[in-house]
Amino acid sequence: MSPKRRVFFLSDGTGITAETMGNSLLSQFDDIEFEKDTVPFIDTVEKAEKQVEIINKIAEEDGVKPLVFDTMVNREVRDTLLQCKGFTIDIFGAFIKPLEDELEIRSSHSVGKTHSIINSESYKIRIEAVHFALDNDDGARTRHYDQADIIIIGVSRSGKTPSCLYLAMQFGIRAANYPLTEDDLDDLHIPKTLKIHRNKLFGLSIDTDRLVAIRNERKPNSKYSSFRQVDMEVRGAEALYAKERIPSINTTHYSVEEISTRILATTGLERRIIT
Amino acid sequence: MSPKRRVFFLSDGTGITAETMGNSLLSQFDDIEFEKDTVPFIDTVEKAEKQVEIINKIAEEDGVKPLVFDTMVNREVRDTLLQCKGFTIDIFGAFIKPLEDELEIRSSHSVGKTHSIINSESYKIRIEAVHFALDNDDGARTRHYDQADIIIIGVSRSGKTPSCLYLAMQFGIRAANYPLTEDDLDDLHIPKTLKIHRNKLFGLSIDTDRLVAIRNERKPNSKYSSFRQVDMEVRGAEALYAKERIPSINTTHYSVEEISTRILATTGLERRIIT
């Protein structure tokens, strides 16, 4: 049995770009098991040399090259690193030069810019959006809905809270969420407090089986997690969306990233920040 | 005056990888203003053709090539797109083939794998971590601290909440947070409820001037945002960290991503998921 293939995501900054990029590429190789390590903040030649030693040792032990994804900006640090015995995917190395040629300008080669506080206005928007999502989670308050960019509705555990937080964190969007309860679903009307904001509403739906499983994790063998109850709520929510023409998506097979980007794509809502 | 250089992040999935990667590269070109658009879910040749028309029109209007970052997996869709008159940075195109050669296996070329629910166990860990962060925000409860991976402490608005949420969302880590108040800082002791969890504590600090500015946004001209009050709290927190040897970082110049990854790097805390 072959060991898992070792993978390193290396960066002089947070490592998030190397991780995101590397994981995207590796997700195309289903049949191989990878053992992944992220090493951020490698910002000196000394640290790079130490990392090279680690990689070389593993290369020798495993008898195959570890995969090394790097987003090193500093040339000296990168050159040191690229001497390792890993299989290197040098992301910046591949694209910075062509971009410099096209833009007819030299790049700054400054370290750690990607996920830094470049723009304090963006920073403010982002943090405020996160606090907005928290303060307006789960219908906690409704009086700030005039400041919301979007109000996500859905039954309990259909994915509202993580989606709102992701929209805030990633895109700076002010997202409130409001839980649809049995009472709301009985008469298939938009709850009173939401009526004046109906153009901001976005509905989440989910398959009954999936929601039963999710709720069972939380409250096993309860009415809350019973097929009958869940199915009634799910059908009610979907009927409400249809009747009131509220745009909606079914979240069953989607990650938080997919739900959030699909909401943007469906509504045309603009990102307030670019992270 | 030259117009802003147009940039497209194109994907057959969420577009998050193309955005992350593209923004990283563009952050190296300070002097150019970019106007960025993300177009996700381009998963048919027809959609790609439509996008090519848009790009070609802009190329003609602007007289320079729009920059096009793509992470298309499907070859036919990608080939269609690459016929556009933009300057294309074809991220998967550049690296998939060398990786296939090194791994001696063909990639699956399946669309939208990166940010999908590949692993439902990871999905569960992530969502539970997000709810844990919410339930244990701002010292709301302390009785679940035995389940916490980390407990972040700091004075009001030093960055605790966004950091906890990011640790949860990105790494599946269960992060609670507890606000240090004047009472805690008076006698420089770890608050009682935290004592038995002292090995989980991590402190955030921040420069007084920066915190005064942040608090002034929230409650202008209050005692809460006064230099005197803020400085007292900040010094108190730092003295507490030093006295009790609690690991800490100063968040003044760091983004949420940097704070979170530095916390991992400092504590050695392991990611529970890889997104």
Side-chain angles (χ1 to χ4, degrees), chain A residues 5 9 12-17 19-21 23-32 34 36-41 43 64-65 67 69 71 73 87 89-92 94-96 98-100 102-103 105-118 120 123-124 126-128 130-131 134-135 137 157 159 161-163 165-166 169-171 210 214 217 251-259 261-262 265 270-271 274-275, chain B residues 5 9 12-17 19-21 23-32 34 36-41 43 64-65 67 69 71 73 87 89-92 94-96 98-100 102-103 105-118 120 123-124 126-128 130-131 134-135 137 157 159 161-163 165-166 169-171 210 214 217 251-259 261-262 265 270-271 274-275:
Chain A
R5 187 76 175 236
F9 304 123
D12 36 24
T14 63
I16 291 169
T17 306
E19 259 182 22
T20 304
M21 180 64 204
N23 281 320
S24 281
L25 286 163
L26 295 180
S27 72
Q28 294 298 315
F29 298 93
D30 293 331
D31 299 335
I32 302 178
F34 298 105
K36 302 166 182 175
D37 271 305
T38 303
V39 189
F41 309 119
D43 47 12
V64 291
K65 293 178 180 175
L67 308 183
F69 296 85
T71 53
V73 174
F87 181 78
I89 300 276
D90 179 27
I91 302 172
F92 277 26
F95 295 128
I96 279 287
L99 270 174
E100 287 181 342
E102 173 62 25
L103 295 171
I105 193 169
R106 291 289 302 278
S107 68
S108 64
H109 288 281
S110 48
V111 170
K113 298 213 65 151
T114 312
H115 292 97
S116 63
I117 309 185
I118 298 167
S120 86
Y123 177 81
K124 220 179 79 184
R126 184 184 201 190
I127 299 302
E128 280 177 3
V130 169
H131 284 283
L134 284 174
D135 292 343
D137 184 43
R157 289 279 160 149
T161 298
S163 303
L165 288 169
Y166 192 85
M169 190 81 84
Q170 191 75 8
F171 305 125
R210 171 97 178 127
I214 291 170
E217 291 280 343
T251 65
T252 308
H253 302 289
Y254 292 147
S255 68
V256 177
E257 284 85 352
E258 286 172 306
I259 297 169
T261 48
R262 280 178 192 275
E270 298 265 344
R271 288 140 216 254
I274 290 176
T275 49
Chain B
R5 188 77 175 236
F9 304 123
D12 37 24
T14 62
I16 292 169
T17 306
E19 258 182 21
T20 304
M21 179 65 204
N23 281 320
S24 281
L25 286 164
L26 296 180
S27 72
Q28 295 297 315
F29 298 92
D30 294 329
D31 299 335
I32 302 178
F34 297 105
K36 301 166 182 174
D37 271 305
T38 302
V39 189
F41 310 118
D43 47 12
V64 290
K65 292 178 181 175
L67 307 182
F69 295 85
T71 54
V73 175
F87 181 78
I89 299 276
D90 179 28
I91 302 172
F92 276 26
F95 296 127
I96 278 286
L99 269 174
E100 286 180 343
E102 173 62 25
L103 295 170
I105 194 168
R106 291 287 303 277
S107 68
S108 64
H109 289 281
S110 47
V111 170
K113 298 213 63 150
T114 312
H115 292 99
S116 64
I117 308 186
I118 299 168
S120 86
Y123 177 82
K124 219 180 81 184
R126 184 184 202 190
I127 299 301
E128 280 177 4
V130 168
H131 284 283
L134 284 174
D135 292 343
D137 184 44
R157 290 279 160 149
T161 297
S163 302
L165 288 169
Y166 192 84
M169 190 79 86
Q170 190 76 6
F171 305 124
R210 171 96 179 128
I214 291 170
E217 291 280 344
T251 65
T252 309
H253 301 290
Y254 292 147
S255 69
V256 177
E257 283 86 351
E258 286 172 305
I259 297 169
T261 49
R262 282 179 190 275
E270 297 266 342
R271 287 140 218 255
I274 289 175
T275 49

Side-chain angles (χ1 to χ4, degrees), chain A residues 34-105:
Chain A
F34 298 105
E35 188 181 333
K36 302 166 182 175
D37 271 305
T38 303
V39 189
F41 309 119
I42 304 178
D43 47 12
T44 63
V45 169
E46 290 68 37
K47 290 183 192 169
E49 284 169 348
K50 218 179 115 192
Q51 191 58 44
V52 168
E53 277 177 38
I54 293 169
I55 293 166
N56 290 352
K57 189 154 170 281
I58 289 167
E60 201 168 311
E61 283 169 11
D62 289 356
V64 291
K65 293 178 180 175
L67 308 183
V68 178
F69 296 85
D70 90 276
T71 53
M72 299 291 169
V73 174
N74 182 291
R75 231 171 249 166
E76 224 187 325
V77 177
R78 182 166 66 197
D79 287 346
T80 306
L81 201 76
L82 291 179
Q83 288 162 22
C84 76
K85 290 175 184 154
F87 181 78
T88 53
I89 300 276
D90 179 27
I91 302 172
F92 277 26
F95 295 128
I96 279 287
K97 184 69 176 55
L99 270 174
E100 287 181 342
D101 293 346
E102 173 62 25
L103 295 171
E104 297 178 336
I105 193 169

Side-chain angles (χ1 to χ4, degrees), chain B residues 45-240:
Chain B
V45 169
E46 290 68 37
K47 289 183 193 168
E49 284 169 348
K50 219 179 114 191
Q51 191 59 44
V52 168
E53 277 177 37
I54 293 168
I55 293 167
N56 290 353
K57 188 152 171 280
I58 289 167
E60 199 168 312
E61 283 169 9
D62 289 356
V64 290
K65 292 178 181 175
L67 307 182
V68 178
F69 295 85
D70 91 275
T71 54
M72 299 293 168
V73 175
N74 182 291
R75 231 170 249 164
E76 222 187 326
V77 177
R78 181 166 66 199
D79 287 346
T80 306
L81 200 77
L82 291 179
Q83 288 163 21
C84 76
K85 290 175 184 156
F87 181 78
T88 53
I89 299 276
D90 179 28
I91 302 172
F92 276 26
F95 296 127
I96 278 286
K97 184 70 176 56
L99 269 174
E100 286 180 343
D101 293 345
E102 173 62 25
L103 295 170
E104 296 178 337
I105 194 168
R106 291 287 303 277
S107 68
S108 64
H109 289 281
S110 47
V111 170
K113 298 213 63 150
T114 312
H115 292 99
S116 64
I117 308 186
I118 299 168
N119 176 330
S120 86
E121 185 58 24
S122 293
Y123 177 82
K124 219 180 81 184
I125 290 171
R126 184 184 202 190
I127 299 301
E128 280 177 4
V130 168
H131 284 283
F132 185 88
L134 284 174
D135 292 343
N136 296 279
D137 184 44
D138 211 29
R141 297 179 197 172
T142 56
R143 67 177 187 279
H144 294 142
Y145 282 4
D146 54 326
Q147 292 163 43
D149 295 319
I150 188 168
I151 303 164
I152 297 180
I153 60 176
V155 302
S156 173
R157 290 279 160 149
S158 52
K160 300 183 300 299
T161 297
S163 302
C164 286
L165 288 169
Y166 192 84
L167 285 168
M169 190 79 86
Q170 190 76 6
F171 305 124
I173 288 173
R174 290 173 171 244
N177 77 79
Y178 184 96
L180 295 176
T181 60
E182 233 178 302
D183 291 343
D184 300 321
L185 300 172
D186 259 359
D187 58 359
L188 291 192
H189 278 88
I190 295 177
K192 237 184 259 169
T193 39
L194 298 181
K195 264 194 185 145
I196 54 164
H197 306 292
R198 64 165 298 144
N199 58 337
K200 293 182 183 177
L201 300 182
F202 193 95
L204 299 188
S205 189
I206 186 169
D207 291 356
T208 298
D209 289 339
R210 171 96 179 128
L211 188 53
V212 167
I214 291 170
R215 288 190 179 180
N216 254 315
E217 291 280 344
R218 200 175 167 199
K219 293 187 190 166
N221 305 315
S222 61
K223 184 186 168 204
Y224 171 78
S225 61
S226 68
F227 184 90
R228 192 194 162 103
Q229 175 69 21
V230 170
D231 196 50
M232 188 268 292
E233 290 183 27
V234 166
R235 284 165 188 266
E238 287 181 353
L240 178 67

Side-chain angles (χ1 to χ4, degrees), chain A residues 152-163 204-206 211 214-215 241 251-252 259, chain B residues 123:
Chain A
I152 297 180
I153 61 177
V155 302
S156 174
R157 289 279 160 149
S158 53
K160 300 184 300 298
T161 298
S163 303
L204 299 189
S205 189
I206 185 168
L211 188 53
I214 291 170
R215 288 190 179 181
Y241 304 155
T251 65
T252 308
I259 297 169
Chain B
Y123 177 82

